[in-house]
Amino acid sequence: MQQDISKAHDKPRHKGVNITMATDQPIRVRFAPSPTGFLHIGGARTALFNWLFARHHGGTFILRIDDTDEARSTDESMQGIYDSMEWLGLDWDEGPMVGGPHTPYIQSERGERYHKYVQQLLDTGNAYRCYCAPEELDQMRTLARVEKRPQGYPGKCRYLTEADRHKLEGEGRKSTIRLKIPEGAIIVRDLVLDVIKFEADTLDDFIIVRSNGSPLYNFTSIIDDIEMGITHVIRGADHLSNTPKHLSICQALGFDPPQCAHLPMVLGSSKGEKLSKRHGATSVGQYREDGYLPEALINFLVRLGWSYDDKEEIFSVDQLIEKFDLERVGKSGSVFDLKKLQWLNGHYITRLNLSARTDAVIPFLQKGSLLEEEKSRAWLEQFVAAVGDRLETLADITTYSYLFTDDFDYDPKAVKKWWKGDPAGILQGLRDVLGAIEVFEIEPIEAATWAHIEAAGISRIKAMQPLRVALSGESGGPGLFDIIVLLGREKVLERLDRAIQHIQEIF
RNA sequence: GUCCCCGUCGUCUAGCCUGGCCAAGGACACCGGCCUUUCACGCCGGCGACACGGGUUCAAAUCCCGUCGGGGACACCA
């Protein structure tokens, strides 16, 4: 079964050489974060594209933990990554917790697996021991920098003889192992960026094994990709310059490399800088805490570098699985625009039915200590219904704290604007009406209030706004009658008395 | 500095491969209006871009060359 993604979409997007998938096997992709921090927005985007690509093509999505840097890796980060991925709904078919045919999926647990490849490289003369000390390397680099030469390793130990090595080792020198970069240019065929050529003399013999014997990322990563049968490596464009290294290793070892696709970077500002804390929250967990819905974040993330056409941009996960492909991934970086995320989030919150929205909002009420007093489910749903589509994030729910507590201040601007003329008189009139209503429900309240306002001969707004300020301290918010019902007669009357007294003290 | 990538409204993007349908379309943001007890939603309208310069062509956002600008990588990090 030959698959050809260049024909997968009727509007192939990239010009130049047609890159087809040289594979007839089922697709296998992987997301391989290093657990040195929580799941970053950029990482989540990479994970999402891999996941969608796998789901779209009926392939396998693998989670692998690339923790070859033991010093910086932590279990806490690993757990955080799992949590964030689960929250986003990016489930993995193989990987930690779920296992799979290539267990283990955590590199630090893969032990000696890499050794035989290193040995093979050494035996075939494709790698060599390098005895240069870190300080010497540093020196060479600074010198190169000053002399404006490329800073790569100049190949000092490349042609050492057996005797040289013996001597160096006799001096007690430790050695790293470097890959011997092959002659000739390395051609990268990228599913997003097309064909990129790296001349051999611009590449240097990089270290694949530390002097303490542990292999480095650029080696383990591609080795695991090969061992795990990865067909497509989809990752951020910041890895583009590592690709010729991986290709060189494959070439030296005689392996067919996976296809690759480099995703444009996620930027933090229009200046073009990579997204960083300086630009705001960068971890998926933070957005979760800030009250964003996973479906909103997914929809937002997928549009960072991918588009479907010129009209649709709101997609459910199922639609994304159906429509997503690498064909329509763009080449240029995209700025993370929080405003757009907020808009999308508001959209998805509105789409939640009342019960689901209430459930979603409850944790945020608790976090705001607004549920100390027991509230009935019915009341809560009524409250959420009244708030309606005024939420951009779930956390916004706490702006309506005045429905839970009497502890609120009158907004000075609202006071200035709406408590003019004879506010106390107006509020007293309203108080009398509301106090006299027999059944304290929305219809009779509404009818009585309107009747009173009409009889008093004032405009609706001139009565309603002072009342709103008295009850909530603010000049905007949910329907006033909803607020009145939610508060209940007793609180409404209390707050009116308090406001009237307050006004009399001011004047 | 060296290598590599990128360059359409402020932002996300459609269009570019296969030149004419583009006096460049949509969305977010912003501004104005309508609706309304208010705010928000919604609806209507407005502002606003082919980085620049050459070339090819009857015709260029689209093809070619150059310039400029931005970014990434250059670790015994990943």
Side-chain angles (χ1 to χ4, degrees):
Chain A
M1 179 187 48
Q2 181 83 25
Q3 295 194 52
D4 180 349
I5 65 162
S6 68
K7 289 177 189 144
H9 197 285
D10 51 11
K11 275 190 260 172
R13 119 174 277 263
H14 299 305
K15 50 192 174 182
V17 179
N18 254 356
I19 298 166
T20 54
M21 293 202 293
T23 172
D24 48 6
Q25 320 130 319
I27 281 167
R28 290 173 63 80
V29 293
R30 103 276 125 121
F31 173 55
S34 62
T36 55
F38 297 120
L39 184 60
H40 187 270
I41 285 296
R45 201 277 237 99
T46 301
L48 173 64
F49 280 34
N50 274 284
W51 185 84
L52 285 173
F53 185 69
R55 293 289 172 265
H56 175 81
H57 289 288
T60 304
F61 176 63
I62 297 158
L63 176 64
R64 187 178 75 216
I65 303 296
D66 281 10
D67 60 344
T68 47
D69 184 359
E70 286 172 55
R72 292 199 303 154
S73 298
T74 68
D75 287 348
E76 193 193 12
S77 304
M78 231 188 301
Q79 195 54 51
I81 289 167
Y82 301 155
D83 289 347
S84 290
M85 296 215 12
E86 274 164 22
W87 178 69
L88 285 170
L90 305 180
D91 56 324
W92 51 98
D93 307 307
E94 294 176 24
M97 357 270 275
V98 303
H102 301 283
T103 304
Y105 290 87
I106 296 175
Q107 284 188 332
S108 59
E109 294 172 12
R110 292 179 70 75
E112 295 305 297
R113 244 166 266 252
Y114 309 102
H115 187 72
K116 66 176 182 197
Y117 298 104
V118 174
Q119 196 54 53
Q120 188 182 333
L121 253 14
L122 245 18
D123 292 346
T124 54
N126 284 302
Y128 60 90
R129 292 190 178 276
C130 169
Y131 298 87
C132 299
E135 309 79 59
E136 298 176 278
L137 261 14
D138 268 351
Q139 270 175 23
M140 286 189 255
R141 257 191 302 272
T142 14
L143 190 65
R145 167 118 218 169
V146 171
E147 293 178 358
K148 304 191 172 184
R149 283 183 290 109
Q151 294 170 65
Y153 181 67
K156 195 173 169 217
C157 299
R158 194 169 185 169
Y159 301 107
L160 254 28
T161 64
E162 196 64 44
D164 295 333
R165 278 198 286 276
H166 210 78
K167 183 168 172 259
L168 262 0
E169 272 163 33
E171 291 168 7
R173 286 227 181 201
K174 294 273 191 189
S175 68
T176 59
I177 297 173
R178 291 183 183 268
L179 187 86
K180 198 181 283 178
I181 286 291
E183 300 288 311
I186 301 281
I187 309 287
V188 175
R189 292 173 197 283
D190 191 276
L191 262 12
V192 171
L193 299 171
D194 283 333
V195 178
I196 302 154
K197 189 173 173 184
F198 293 87
E199 297 295 345
D201 56 15
T202 67
L203 271 15
D204 70 334
D205 294 344
F206 60 100
I207 296 176
I208 56 176
V209 180
R210 294 184 178 94
S211 55
N212 70 6
S214 64
L216 252 21
Y217 165 81
N218 272 322
F219 186 68
T220 55
S221 173
I222 184 65
I223 293 297
D224 281 342
D225 288 342
I226 296 292
E227 285 216 326
M228 294 180 178
I230 301 301
T231 58
H232 296 75
V233 171
I234 304 168
R235 54 166 39 146
D238 47 344
H239 282 283
L240 182 58
S241 51
N242 287 327
T243 307
K245 299 180 181 180
H246 302 161
L247 259 22
S248 301
I249 291 170
C250 286
Q251 196 174 315
L253 252 16
F255 292 134
D256 264 350
Q259 299 267 333
C260 67
H262 287 91
L263 273 16
M265 312 280 312
V266 176
L267 313 172
S269 80
S270 47
K271 302 264 189 297
E273 318 144 295
K274 216 160 133 180
L275 180 67
S276 71
K277 309 100 238 148
R278 205 160 64 67
H279 304 107
T282 54
S283 80
V284 170
Q286 188 62 52
Y287 285 95
R288 179 184 189 175
E289 273 184 46
D290 288 347
Y292 290 86
L293 258 21
E295 49 269 48
L297 198 52
I298 292 275
N299 197 151
F300 175 72
L301 252 21
V302 82
R303 294 290 341 276
L304 254 32
W306 178 85
S307 63
Y308 180 65
D309 59 17
D310 61 346
K311 42 180 85 74
E312 276 182 273
E313 63 173 335
I314 292 183
F315 306 99
S316 66
V317 170
D318 285 343
Q319 287 173 311
L320 286 177
I321 290 172
E322 185 205 321
K323 296 176 191 299
F324 183 85
D325 211 340
L326 257 18
E327 281 298 320
R328 296 195 61 84
V329 173
K331 298 178 171 189
S332 49
S334 6
V335 176
F336 183 97
D337 181 8
L338 186 62
K339 287 274 199 232
K340 191 140 188 174
L341 207 210
Q342 282 169 344
W343 169 75
L344 263 174
N345 201 50
H347 171 86
Y348 278 98
I349 291 177
T350 309
R351 226 106 298 207
L352 253 30
N353 67 42
L354 187 57
S355 178
R357 211 186 317 157
T358 304
D359 289 339
V361 129
I362 285 173
F364 291 88
L365 291 172
Q366 283 165 339
K367 238 196 298 185
S369 308
L370 296 177
L371 289 182
E372 319 280 74
E373 239 176 82
E374 196 63 31
K375 295 286 185 191
S376 73
R377 177 76 189 185
W379 188 91
L380 281 170
E381 290 199 358
Q382 211 181 328
F383 160 64
V384 172
V387 169
D389 50 27
R390 268 164 276 251
L391 299 176
E392 249 178 1
T393 67
L394 297 172
D396 286 345
I397 198 69
T398 58
T399 57
Y400 306 102
S401 60
Y402 55 77
L403 283 162
F404 297 82
T405 167
D406 295 325
D407 183 23
F408 66 89
D409 296 321
Y410 300 117
D411 172 28
K413 267 187 284 181
V415 168
K416 192 170 178 223
K417 178 158 187 192
W418 296 111
W419 283 356
K420 292 190 294 206
D422 177 24
I426 290 171
L427 293 180
Q428 189 59 53
L430 256 6
R431 203 218 113 102
D432 293 343
V433 172
L434 291 169
I437 285 167
E438 284 168 30
V439 187
F440 207 74
E441 282 169 11
I442 196 152
E443 290 86 4
I445 293 171
E446 196 168 343
T449 307
W450 289 149
H452 166 77
I453 290 172
E454 200 171 327
I458 49 176
S459 67
R460 287 183 167 190
I461 197 170
K462 286 221 168 106
M464 295 297 274
Q465 283 301 87
L467 178 58
R468 177 180 291 282
V469 177
L471 298 181
S472 72
E474 297 180 19
S475 56
L480 236 197
F481 295 115
D482 290 324
I483 291 177
I484 290 171
V485 172
L486 251 5
L487 247 23
R489 188 201 308 265
E490 198 184 326
K491 284 227 175 298
V492 167
L493 298 184
E494 261 175 43
R495 289 188 186 185
L496 277 168
D497 290 337
R498 170 182 153 193
I500 290 165
Q501 197 186 341
H502 182 87
I503 289 166
Q504 284 163 347
E505 282 166 11
I506 299 175
F507 286 89

